[in-house]
Amino acid sequence: MDALTLIKTRHSTRKFTDKPVEKEKLEQVIEAGRFAPSGGNNQTTHFIVIQDKAVLSELVRITREEFAKMDLKPDTYASLATSIKLSKKGTYVFHYNAPVLILTANRIGYDNNMADCSCAVENMMLMANALDLGSCWINQINWLNSNPVMVAFLKTLGMRDGETVYVSMALGYPDSPDGLPLRRVVERKGNPVTYVGEA
């Protein structure tokens, strides 16, 4: 695919098979993230790549239990509210059972932490699409980045002192009829453009 088609046909995958992602493909996805732009070329994004089923299960358990403790308020962000509601029911699996979860952490207090992690994840999602893999942006770990239970567990996975997770990404093979990501161009109804001057 040419670059614009690759971008236009990237969609979130929320249903995965349990087929492992081959090492070669996973390394290409990670490398795409590592070569994303960063503020001042600081290159401080830390990639924590989780494939261990037991670790993923423990992350699901912690996430579910910690969200279940939260109260819903009228102004709670819609996606967070859904996470809380499903967690209270005891059925929540925040990463859609993907075989790989990639956490991107960065330095607390660094002004470009979220931007750098976001650029890295976008690069990885595009590479996933190019490799016939599905991906999905995951917010839930970020929403728990001040939760002491979650922070303590993330440190056992290699998150360093002074870091926190800003963006995560689920990765794997889509559970679709043809085994491929959903690829269709969806009309843009928002994201207005204002041109000032002529080229």
Side-chain angles (χ1 to χ4, degrees), residues 36-48:
S38 60
N41 197 29
N42 279 310
Q43 301 180 32
T44 53
T45 300
H46 179 192
F47 299 81
I48 302 170

Side-chain angles (χ1 to χ4, degrees), residues 6 19 28 32 36 45 50 57 59 90 93 123 133 146 155-156 173:
L6 187 70
K19 179 182 176 181
Q28 288 182 70
T45 300
I50 306 169
S57 293
L59 264 176
V93 179
N123 268 19
L133 295 167
S146 61
K155 286 188 175 181
T156 71
Y173 282 95

Side-chain angles (χ1 to χ4, degrees), residues 2-131:
D2 66 89
L4 190 55
T5 300
L6 187 70
I7 292 166
K8 285 184 171 183
T9 61
R10 188 221 61 81
H11 293 279
S12 296
T13 297
R14 292 184 174 85
K15 192 175 182 185
F16 296 89
T17 70
D18 58 4
K19 179 182 176 181
V21 176
E22 297 88 343
K23 181 181 178 184
E24 297 77 17
K25 287 189 174 186
L26 181 56
E27 287 176 348
Q28 288 182 70
V29 170
I30 298 300
E31 199 72 346
R34 293 184 67 237
F35 274 80
S38 60
N41 197 29
N42 279 310
Q43 301 180 32
T44 53
T45 300
H46 179 192
F47 299 81
I48 302 170
V49 185
I50 306 169
Q51 303 171 82
D52 186 297
K53 290 182 180 180
V55 172
L56 289 170
S57 293
E58 184 64 4
L59 264 176
V60 167
R61 183 192 68 78
I62 292 170
T63 302
R64 182 186 296 142
E65 289 183 0
E66 297 309 307
F67 276 136
K69 295 174 185 176
M70 294 182 183
D71 294 324
L72 280 167
K73 299 174 182 175
D75 61 345
T76 301
Y77 175 58
S79 293
L80 176 56
T82 298
S83 297
I84 294 169
K85 288 174 189 174
L86 292 175
S87 293
K88 289 181 183 295
K89 291 180 181 178
T91 60
Y92 193 47
V93 179
F94 74 94
H95 73 305
Y96 306 106
N97 290 307
V100 181
L101 181 68
I102 303 170
L103 312 180
T104 60
N106 214 312
R107 296 178 302 181
I108 298 167
Y110 163 54
D111 287 345
N112 288 310
N113 45 33
M114 175 61 89
D116 289 2
C117 289
S118 298
C119 287
V121 169
E122 177 68 7
N123 268 19
M124 291 192 293
M125 289 192 295
L126 292 173
M127 180 55 77
N129 191 28
L131 297 171

